[in-house]
Amino acid sequence: MKRLIGLICILVGVLLMIGMLFKNGDLFHLSFSKEQAVTTASAKKDEIDQLDISLSGFRVKVKPENRSDISVMVVGGKGKMYAEQTGGTFKVRAENKGFLFFSQFEKGELLVKIPTDYHQDVKITGGSGVSEVNGEGKLSLQDVTLKSTSGNLTAENFSAKRVEIKATSGRLSVSHIDAKESDIGATSGRADIQDIKGKLQLGMTSGRLTASFDTIESPVDFHMTSGSATLNLPDEGDFKVQVKKTSGSVDHSYQFDQADSEGRGFTGTRGNGAHLVDIEMTSGNLKLR
């Protein structure tokens, strides 16, 4: 028994030493890199066409502020940040190279401050972290691209010309977005979509999705592959919901002015049906409320 306990202690000690080595950038890949890790970086907004942020094991929070430069700052955790300005692109890379499960308790935190009069592109891609983009109704951007692999992604309260938001597993929350075109997709996990104005393309593969609309004044395309989805439709408006399904079920308690079910299809009309909500289902369960 004592021998077993001793072996366990040795094994734990070895794991701890390996973990320390992996977290020490000077002993591994960072020692061969010319990049210099920093805790703060900034770029003048008038020189930047795109803010490009990539994350690995990092939390990020984006907020608007009355300022003349785009600012990024590491505010917590054990991660490292690298930043450079290449032409009109301000590139920021934040990563946590912690060892295995220890990294879960030491995620770095990145605070990004964007000038309220910055009207160009924002791109954020990340994995195993938390991304929060809140424009507070003060950001009006050009192209916004947000992609997350695991973790949580929240995007709310901003306007843009084009928006692309994609999440794989984890939790996706998107609300109060005003864009000419939006492409939002979720694969597994849970997605909550609310009050998206403008043309919307929505996609879901497995998982659970809830989409709520205050108004429908533009076309909506929804492609659903398995999982369950609930669409909360507005009380008033002029729209037509058209469902085509290979299999699965459609449950509608919404009070359409006219509803028709034929074979594998369903059509429900409210008002004059001017705006089409086109839904294609491969399988799964759909509720219209």
Side-chain angles (χ1 to χ4, degrees):
M1 186 66 179
K2 291 183 179 179
R3 186 177 181 181
L4 178 60
I5 294 175
L7 289 173
I8 293 174
C9 291
I10 292 173
L11 180 60
V12 171
V14 171
L15 289 174
L16 288 173
M17 289 180 64
I18 295 175
M20 292 176 65
L21 290 174
F22 268 89
K23 289 188 288 184
N24 190 337
D26 294 331
L27 296 178
F28 280 86
H29 72 288
L30 294 180
S31 62
F32 302 100
S33 174
K34 296 181 180 180
E35 292 180 296
Q36 180 67 42
V38 295
T39 57
T40 62
S42 65
K44 295 180 180 179
K45 73 173 190 301
D46 295 335
E47 299 177 356
I48 301 302
D49 298 322
Q50 183 183 69
L51 170 61
D52 188 347
I53 300 175
S54 60
L55 307 161
S56 177
F58 239 80
R59 301 181 180 94
V60 62
K61 183 174 184 179
V62 178
K63 60 180 297 183
E65 194 170 274
N66 226 351
R67 56 189 304 122
S68 61
D69 65 333
I70 302 171
S71 169
V72 292
M73 177 187 302
V74 177
V75 295
K78 300 290 186 179
K80 296 181 182 294
M81 178 180 74
Y82 307 89
E84 65 174 345
Q85 182 176 339
T86 304
T89 301
F90 184 28
K91 290 187 175 182
V92 179
R93 176 165 57 88
E95 59 185 22
N96 180 15
K97 291 294 184 180
F99 173 66
L100 298 177
F101 51 86
F102 295 108
S103 64
Q104 299 302 314
F105 303 99
E106 299 177 344
K107 288 184 183 295
E109 297 182 5
L110 187 69
L111 176 62
V112 182
K113 298 179 181 180
I114 298 180
T116 53
D117 56 351
Y118 174 77
H119 304 302
Q120 302 301 324
D121 301 346
V122 172
K123 180 180 181 181
I124 301 176
T125 57
S128 65
V130 177
S131 299
E132 180 182 336
V133 181
N134 188 347
E136 300 178 5
K138 302 174 182 177
L139 286 181
S140 178
L141 303 167
Q142 189 75 6
D143 290 357
V144 176
T145 303
L146 307 175
K147 296 184 179 181
S148 173
T149 303
S150 75
N152 297 333
L153 170 59
T154 300
E156 57 189 354
N157 300 312
F158 64 83
S159 62
K161 187 174 182 180
R162 287 176 294 272
V163 172
E164 181 183 5
I165 301 176
K166 297 296 174 67
T168 301
S169 74
R171 176 74 180 268
L172 172 65
S173 178
V174 183
S175 63
H176 303 97
I177 304 295
D178 189 349
K180 184 176 180 180
E181 297 180 4
S182 295
D183 182 359
I184 302 174
T187 302
S188 73
R190 178 175 176 178
D192 293 293
I193 315 298
Q194 182 178 1
D195 189 24
I196 308 300
K197 291 182 172 61
K199 184 179 180 181
L200 173 62
Q201 181 171 316
L202 192 60
M204 186 193 74
T205 301
S206 73
R208 183 173 64 176
L209 179 144
T210 301
S212 302
F213 300 89
D214 292 343
T215 61
I216 295 179
E217 298 177 348
S218 299
V220 177
D221 291 322
F222 179 30
H223 296 267
M224 176 181 175
T225 303
S226 71
S228 63
T230 300
L231 301 188
N232 295 314
L233 304 171
D235 294 334
E236 302 294 336
D238 298 307
F239 56 88
K240 179 170 71 173
V241 178
Q242 181 175 285
V243 182
K244 299 175 184 178
K245 62 186 179 73
T246 302
S247 63
S249 64
V250 178
D251 174 12
H252 61 91
S253 60
Y254 183 84
Q255 297 299 313
F256 290 102
D257 295 330
Q258 182 178 348
D260 298 301
S261 296
E262 290 186 12
R264 296 180 178 177
F266 169 80
T267 301
T269 303
R270 184 69 168 178
N272 62 26
H275 307 293
L276 178 62
V277 179
D278 192 12
I279 302 173
E280 292 188 9
M281 296 176 58
T282 300
S283 63
N285 301 311
L286 173 66
K287 295 180 181 180
L288 304 174
R289 299 287 184 257

